[in-house]
Amino acid sequence: GQTGMGVRVLIADDSEFVRTAIRQHLECIGCAIVAEMESGAPILPLFRTVHPQVVILGQNLPFGGLPTPVRLVRLIKREVPETCVLVIAQPGVLADAAPLLRAGALECVLRPLSSRNPKTLCHRLIGIFPELIDKRFGRINAPDLLPVRGAV
């Protein structure tokens, strides 16, 4: 990767609103959004090209019959085990996210993205990547910082 570049993130969600909200929050803490997509079908080739450290997957992402989300998470984790995979889940189908967590996704963040949910996502990433600090305001004051399991 390029020196001086933030943590590299690929965002894949079928909602432009969700992608925009995530991008804006993550850019504020120093992430570099290297790719955004609204369909899951081309994720693997793009993943192999842009080499993100973090992949954010919408649970409702259309996959067009290609790898299922669970298989995709497994493939990503098999190819680059240190990749942090986060899932944007629908509250009503949170149970459906359990197989994604078993496949290697680190966490599910609930949708719709209220102002608190993207902040939780940012706090989670700061816990994993300590170099992510808001350049303008210093370290984010996060009393509700989530404990990090399996941080790299």
Side-chain angles (χ1 to χ4, degrees):
Q2 299 170 0
T3 50
M5 192 175 212
V7 172
R8 299 168 59 81
V9 180
L10 183 155
I11 302 171
D13 193 278
D14 61 334
S15 163
E16 184 177 351
F17 171 81
V18 168
R19 291 193 313 272
T20 299
I22 292 170
R23 179 181 357 95
Q24 289 172 346
H25 277 80
L26 295 186
E27 285 176 345
C28 282
I29 61 168
C31 288
I33 309 306
V34 294
E36 280 187 43
M37 50 198 343
E38 60 185 25
S39 161
I43 283 184
L44 270 178
L46 191 58
F47 172 79
R48 292 171 179 142
T49 303
V50 300
H51 309 289
Q53 295 161 275
V54 177
V55 175
I56 299 176
L57 292 176
Q59 188 179 10
N60 287 346
L61 206 58
F63 277 86
L66 290 163
T68 63
V70 170
R71 181 155 163 65
L72 179 64
V73 170
R74 282 195 192 118
L75 287 167
I76 287 171
K77 296 299 282 182
R78 186 179 305 142
E79 287 190 23
V80 187
E82 62 273 18
T83 304
C84 174
V85 180
L86 297 155
V87 176
I88 306 296
Q90 297 286 354
V93 289
L94 191 54
D96 295 348
L100 292 164
L101 294 171
R102 284 195 298 275
L106 184 65
E107 183 163 335
C108 291
V109 177
L110 284 182
R111 188 172 163 180
L113 292 179
S114 67
S115 62
R116 187 185 186 307
N117 288 341
K119 287 178 187 161
T120 301
L121 180 65
C122 290
H123 295 165
R124 184 69 160 143
L125 290 177
I126 288 170
I128 298 165
F129 302 98
E131 66 271 26
L132 287 178
I133 295 171
D134 190 311
K135 305 293 190 265
R136 297 163 300 165
F137 305 111
R139 193 157 187 76
I140 290 177
N141 181 11
D144 58 342
L145 188 66
L146 300 170
V148 177
R149 296 181 317 248
V152 291

